[in-house]
Amino acid sequence: MSQSTIESILQEQRLFSPPPELAEQAHIKSFAEYEQLYAKAKADPAAFWAELAEQELDWFEPWHTVLDWQPPFAKWFVGGKLNITYNCLDRHLKTWRRNKAALIWEGEPGDSRTLTYAQLHREVCQAANVLKQLGVTKGDRVGIYMPMVPEAAIAMLACARIGAPHTVVFGGFSAEALKDRLNDAQAKLVITADGGFRKDKTIPLKAAVDQALTNDGAPSVQNVLVVQRTKEAISMQTGRDHWWHDLLAEASADCPPEPMDSEDMLFILYTSGTTGRPKGVVHTTAGYNLYTHMTCKWAFDLKDTDVYWCTADVGWITGHSYIVYGPLSNGATSLMYEGVPRPSNPGCFWDVVEKYGVNIFYTAPTAIRAFIKLGNEYPQARDLSSLRILGTVGEPINPEAWIWYQQVIGGSKCPIVDTWWQTETGGFMITPLAGATPTKPGSATRPFPGILADVVDLEGNPVADNEGGYLVIRHPWPSMMRTVYGDDERFRHTYWEHLPPRNGQYIYFAGDGARRDQDGYFWIMGRVDDVINVSGHRLGTMEIESALVSHPAVAEAAVVGRPDDLKGEDIFAFVTLENTQSPSEDLKAELKQHVVNEIGVIARPGEIRFAEALPKTRSGKIIRRFLRNLASGEELVGDASTMEDQSVLEKLRQGF
Ligand code: PRX
C-alpha cells in the first residue's frame, strides 16, 4: 500500500449503520444479534456449526463427530455423507425454485443465457455422465481451463457430482503454468474451450492446452473435452480431444450424486506463496459447503428474490465460493459475466446491473478504482436503483474508493461488505453482515461468527488495540484448507509454524498484517511476506524471479511490489544480465514477454531495471527492503551496514 493510503486508513473515523429498512428484513438484523451469535459460536464452536449443518444442508448420512482436530489437520462432520451438488441443485428441484433462474449468463459480445435450476441440474448430470464415459471415476482429478461461460460452472459441478476433484486454472495463465498445475494434480482429463472473449479479442485456450500437452508435457492427461465458444479454428487430436456438445447431446440426464464422505476432496486450487512453486490448496466437501453457504447467506443477506452478481472469474477462489457453490447452495440466482470494462464498453458493468436488475454486486477495489478514473458519467447514465448491497474483496480498499462506491454506485443506501479472506480459508473470515454490522471505510470490520481472529506479535502474543501485528486465526473453521496437495509438511510449515504453538494450541498464520481498533474492528494492512497483490491477483515474487532467470540472458533477478494507484501494487523487477549480454529496451520487452509465457499476462512486470549488481548481505541474501524503497521512490529505510558492498546501492540509486 502507498504511504498516502496507509495514512488515510489510519485517520478514518466514519461509521455507517445498515439502513433500517434493510436491517429489519435481514437474516441477521442487528449488531446485538451478531454479537450474540459470535459469543455463542466462541463458547462452543462445534455445537454452533453442528446446529447450522443440520438446519442448512441435506445429508445422505449423519456425521458422528463434529470436529476431529489433530493440529494442524482438521476433519469436520466426520462420518457424514453428502454431495455438494445435491445441496446446490437437487434439493431445490423439489421446491418452487425448480424453475427459478440458477445462473444468468451474459457473454462479452452480448449473447446471453439463463439456466433454471432444473436446466442446470440436467446439464450437470449430462456432463457428469460424459466424464464417466471418458473414464473419470471418484477421486480422479480433472483440470478446468475455461472462459467465463456457464459450462465452466457446469464442469465444476459435474466433477463434484461424481466425486472427481476439480482443479480450475484461470484462463489468464499460460500454457507453461497450466502444465505445471496439471502435472502437480496429476489430472486425468482437461475441460477447456476453443477460446474465450476478452476485451474484444479472443484468447486461444485450446491452443494453450495443446502446447501444455505437447511432447508428453502432462502425461497423466488422457482426454480433453472442448466447449465451443469462439468458433475459431482449432486442432482436435483424434482419440484425445472431444467436443463437449457432441458428447453431451448423447448423454443421459440421469446421474445420481455420488455419496461423498464429509472429508472427501472437493477441489484443489493453486495459489502463490512466499517460496517455490504454487501450492495446491485442498478443500473438502462438507465443511466447505456449510461455510460458503452460511457466509453467503449472512454477509450478503442473500434472499430468494435477489439477483446476485460476483464479478470474479471462476478460476479464483472467489468464483468457486461465491459464484458457484455458496449462492447455488442457497438456491440463489447467480449472475456470470464474461466481459470486463474495456475501451469499447467502459459502462458494461452498469449495463449488466440495469439489464438484470442486480441486487447484490461484489467486486474488487482495483475495479472500483478503475471506475473512478473512468468518470461518474457511466454509472450515472444507468439505472442502478436495484442495488441493495455492495461487496468488495481481494485487497485493502482505500477509504476514498469505499466512499465513492457507496455514494456513486450504491446511491448512499447500500451497505459495503468488505470481505477479508483467502484461497486457504475457503470463505469470508472478517466481514460485515450486511444488515447488522456498522461499517467503517477501509475496515473489513469484525470476524464472522465462529472465527477467532486475532492480531499478534512474532511470539504469538496479542498486541494492544491499534497496534500493528500479524493476523492469525485461533480455532479451526469448517472451510479451512486441509493440506497442500501431496505435501502435508509444506502445509504445516507455511501456515502453522510461523508462530510457536502456545499451550499446545496451534494458530493459523494468514500472511497479512493487521490492526484491531478499540471497537474490535480489523484493518488489513497487506501481505507481510513475499507475496504481491496486483489488481487483486496474488503472485509470489519468487515465481516471477524464477521465470526471469529461466531466460538465458538473465543472471539474477529480484522482484518487489511497487504501490500503484490502480492496481494496488505493480511488479517491479531488478535484473542483472549474463556477461555476454548488454541492456536494451528490446531485451526488456523480451523479458516481459518471457514472464507472460512462463506464468501468464497477470504476471507481466510493469517495470524492469537492469542493474550491475543487487544489494546483498554478507551471506549473499538479496536485501529486498532497499529494492522496495527504491522502486517506490521512498527514502531507504533500515541499516545498510550488513551489506556486502555499499557501492551497489549507490549505483542503483543513481538510476532513479
Ligand atoms: O492479502 C489479503 C488479500 O488477498 C489475500 C488472499 O488472496 P487470494 O488467496 O488470492 O484470495 C483473494 C480472494 C479472497 C489476502 O491474504 N485480501 C483479500 N481480501 C482482502 C484482502 N486484503 C484486504 N482486504 C480484503 N477485503
Side-chain angles (χ1 to χ4, degrees), residues 271 316-318 392-397 418-424 444 510-512 524 526-527 533 536-538:
T271 192
W316 307 112
I317 191 69
T318 309
T392 154
V393 61
E395 53 178 312
I397 179 163
D418 177 357
T419 60
W420 175 82
W421 60 296
Q422 311 175 298
T423 307
E424 292 88 337
D512 278 301
I524 313 299
R527 300 289 305 193
N533 192 326
H537 297 143
R538 174 170 161 186

Side-chain angles (χ1 to χ4, degrees), residues 300 361-362 387-392 405-406 409-410 414-417:
F300 287 141
F361 177 72
Y362 184 36
L387 291 170
R388 62 181 201 97
I389 289 158
L390 299 175
T392 154
Y405 195 29
Q406 193 215 34
I409 304 306
C414 303
I416 306 289
V417 178

Side-chain angles (χ1 to χ4, degrees), residues 527-550:
R527 300 289 305 193
V528 293
D529 51 9
D530 289 321
V531 167
I532 53 181
N533 192 326
V534 184
S535 301
H537 297 143
R538 174 170 161 186
L539 293 159
T541 51
M542 248 197 48
E543 278 169 79
I544 307 169
E545 288 164 7
S546 311
L548 283 164
V549 292
S550 73

Side-chain angles (χ1 to χ4, degrees), residues 240-258:
R240 186 195 73 179
D241 301 346
H242 318 269
W243 284 110
W244 169 280
H245 56 265
D246 282 347
L247 298 192
L248 251 80
E250 310 266 289
S252 151
D254 179 22
C255 180
E258 181 73 31

Side-chain angles (χ1 to χ4, degrees), residues 455-498:
V455 183
V456 302
D457 63 19
L458 260 186
E459 267 72 57
N461 302 308
V463 300
D465 286 352
N466 286 309
E467 241 174 61
Y470 301 99
L471 183 55
V472 298
I473 312 293
R474 292 193 177 278
H475 191 276
W477 64 100
S479 66
M480 62 196 275
M481 76 182 282
R482 297 302 194 258
T483 190
V484 171
Y485 187 64
D487 200 344
D488 286 350
E489 248 338 282
R490 194 168 172 203
F491 172 62
R492 181 194 295 276
H493 176 73
T494 310
Y495 302 102
W496 304 93
E497 289 182 345
H498 267 270

